[in-house]
Amino acid sequence: MTLPEPTIHLPYETGEFRMLLGLTSVPEPGWIEFDTTYPAQMAERRRLLAERPGQVMGAAEGSEAMQAELLEVLAGHLATHHPAWFTREGHTLRNHLLDEAHDLTSGPPLDLAGRLVAEDYCLLRDEGDGTLTLVSGVLCFPSRWSLASKMGRPLGAIHGPVPFYKDRLERPVDRFLSTLKDGRIAQRLNWSIMDDPTLFQPTGHGVNDFHTRVTADNAGEELFIRVERQTFRRLPRTGAIAFGIRLHVTPLSRIVAIPGEGARLLAAVRALPPEMERYKSMLPFREDLLSWLERHA
């Protein structure tokens, strides 16, 4: 069975820095991404779920029905929309890509969801007053945040450290999610540049005193664009919002090999406000990054 090559998402923008929600609609078959990185990412997920379950999974009391529904919706989607790779026989879901069979009624739903797809999932409970609270999740590939530190907190507080979020995004995000209808799936893309391709990065936002190997000569190999494809859908029975995160990590050398992308990325990095550069922990390698991009734009 052949998997497609990974999509190289290019979400950065040229021109003046703008912090936008940037939502697009996703048809049901496109909810989950599969590509040639799937086997390696799933092996890393299995390792983390076995060795660090307390770090990559979390759940508040009362979220059990939401967790069960996420697994139910996910299993139904996989068998319906990817029948060459997943088949269902009663309570058994067979993953032909990894030659595995899973009993959907056995074990924690979040653990099983984390072993089926490369997407992480956070479940947000709609409190009915426009507030959404993080109540459970499986997060194997965090981009410098931890599930435990955010559990039980409303969405606005979770994003408190993000520059400009409160003034520019909090209200649109809350409005969008509180009105999201069952049956609709939306996505947005979030990007950063890091000097570490490790998938599991639970700490590091706003840290700018670290040593880096990056120079103006090797930035293309030592730096990576880290893109989160974030999806949103409302679960029909419990009303929870399933917030999915699929991670893509690509060396900058591959990005600038695409015609025009070196110049676009250079313009996007130059336009980042100082607050965002600090938050993204880019200061130790910023000047070398710009020098390298200027030569390869």
Side-chain angles (χ1 to χ4, degrees):
M1 287 172 282
T2 303
L3 287 164
E5 289 298 311
T7 299
I8 299 182
H9 296 288
L10 305 168
Y12 43 83
E13 295 185 351
T14 59
E16 183 180 356
F17 174 79
R18 298 180 299 164
M19 195 165 183
L20 303 174
L21 195 48
L23 290 165
T24 57
S25 293
V26 178
E28 177 72 32
W31 182 34
I32 309 298
E33 283 188 324
F34 288 96
D35 57 48
T36 54
T37 67
Y38 176 78
Q41 289 202 2
M42 296 310 297
E44 176 65 359
R45 296 177 72 81
R46 288 195 297 272
R47 184 188 72 81
L48 291 165
L49 286 163
E51 297 177 6
R52 299 173 179 247
Q55 284 184 275
V56 301
M57 287 191 297
E61 187 176 351
S63 65
E64 292 81 6
M66 301 175 192
Q67 299 171 46
E69 188 180 17
L70 171 65
L71 179 58
E72 176 187 319
V73 170
L74 183 59
H77 170 91
L78 293 174
T80 300
H81 296 285
H82 303 283
W85 299 334
F86 295 87
T87 54
R88 185 166 181 175
E89 303 163 7
H91 296 304
T92 300
L93 184 68
R94 297 190 179 278
N95 181 340
H96 301 289
L97 291 170
L98 302 179
D99 193 25
E100 295 176 345
H102 298 280
D103 182 350
L104 298 174
T105 63
S106 176
L110 288 178
D111 180 271
L112 183 48
R115 297 172 187 271
L116 290 174
V117 295
E119 277 79 358
D120 285 317
Y121 278 99
C122 294
L123 292 175
L124 305 170
R125 182 175 62 211
D126 192 333
E127 306 294 359
D129 60 356
T131 303
L132 291 150
T133 304
L134 175 61
V135 293
S136 63
V138 53
L139 184 70
C140 293
F141 302 153
S143 292
R144 296 178 173 172
W145 65 284
S146 72
L147 194 61
S149 68
K150 309 295 185 182
M151 190 61 61
R153 302 178 70 186
L155 208 54
I158 288 172
H159 289 94
V162 181
F164 315 115
Y165 181 88
K166 184 169 184 60
D167 294 335
R168 302 186 191 182
L169 279 188
E170 183 172 9
R171 189 170 297 177
V173 168
D174 288 349
R175 182 168 59 246
F176 160 70
L177 291 177
S178 65
T179 59
L180 183 63
K181 303 297 184 185
D182 170 32
R184 182 190 174 194
I185 306 172
Q187 76 167 27
R188 69 182 297 269
L189 300 171
N190 188 42
W191 68 278
S192 57
I193 295 176
M194 297 185 183
D195 66 345
D196 182 357
T198 303
L199 299 174
F200 177 66
Q201 293 197 42
T203 60
H205 267 312
V207 177
N208 288 285
D209 59 356
F210 58 88
H211 173 73
T212 179
R213 297 191 302 268
V214 177
T215 69
D217 295 321
N218 68 14
E221 289 70 42
E222 294 290 340
L223 289 176
F224 305 83
I225 186 163
R226 187 178 177 104
V227 175
E228 292 181 339
R229 177 185 181 253
Q230 302 175 348
T231 58
F232 308 86
R233 73 179 300 167
R234 186 178 294 276
L235 301 180
R237 188 172 65 250
T238 61
I241 300 293
F243 169 40
I245 307 168
R246 174 70 200 285
L247 191 63
H248 295 263
V249 180
T250 309
L252 288 197
S253 57
R254 288 194 61 193
I255 300 298
V256 302
I258 302 171
E261 289 307 317
R264 288 188 66 242
L265 184 55
L266 174 62
V269 173
R270 281 176 171 165
L272 287 174
E275 300 94 324
M276 191 59 74
E277 290 178 331
R278 285 193 294 272
Y279 176 73
K280 290 178 179 286
S281 303
M282 293 175 57
L283 297 183
F285 55 75
R286 180 184 184 276
E287 294 308 315
D288 290 318
L289 166 63
L290 289 173
S291 295
W292 186 86
L293 285 173
E294 286 165 359
R295 295 206 311 271
H296 292 82

